[in-house]
Amino acid sequence: MSDPFINVEDHGEWLNFRYREIGSGFSIPVKISREALADHFGANGPSENLVKAYAQNQDAIHRKVREKMQPGVNYTPTSPLVLRTADF
């Protein structure tokens, strides 16, 4: 992928990525379930298809991240913001 903001890692049942607000330097770790990507964005099969689904739908996914972020919560790699199929 050529987009420098796509930093997706496949971790089995989850894809992990960092949500970044362009120009602010602000970023948080997020994980989205394979199930959410399959149910709502047509992803299935190998990891490449999941990453492609994320890349093609990152505007909708990032919009959901912004909706779900809680002020004052410190999201960390061990406690990321979590997106499940029910969030969409």
Side-chain angles (χ1 to χ4, degrees):
M1 304 278 147
S2 61
D3 186 336
F5 294 103
I6 296 176
N7 183 17
V8 180
E9 296 176 357
D10 184 353
H11 291 272
E13 291 301 309
W14 299 92
L15 287 185
N16 294 17
F17 65 93
R18 287 202 72 88
Y19 166 75
R20 291 180 172 90
E21 287 188 9
I22 296 173
S24 73
F26 172 79
S27 74
I28 63 167
V30 179
K31 69 181 189 176
I32 184 170
S33 71
R34 282 181 177 265
E35 182 182 27
L37 288 166
D39 290 351
H40 301 283
F41 303 108
N44 58 26
S47 178
E48 298 82 29
N49 291 345
L50 297 171
V51 173
K52 184 176 179 182
Y54 166 79
Q56 291 175 336
N57 296 285
Q58 68 179 328
D59 289 342
I61 294 167
H62 290 181
R63 192 168 33 256
K64 186 55 68 176
V65 169
R66 289 188 298 274
E67 288 174 15
K68 200 167 175 192
M69 272 192 301
Q70 304 252 336
V73 173
N74 184 27
Y75 298 102
T76 66
T78 56
S79 184
L81 185 139
V82 176
L83 296 175
R84 303 176 189 279
T85 196
D87 292 318
F88 296 93

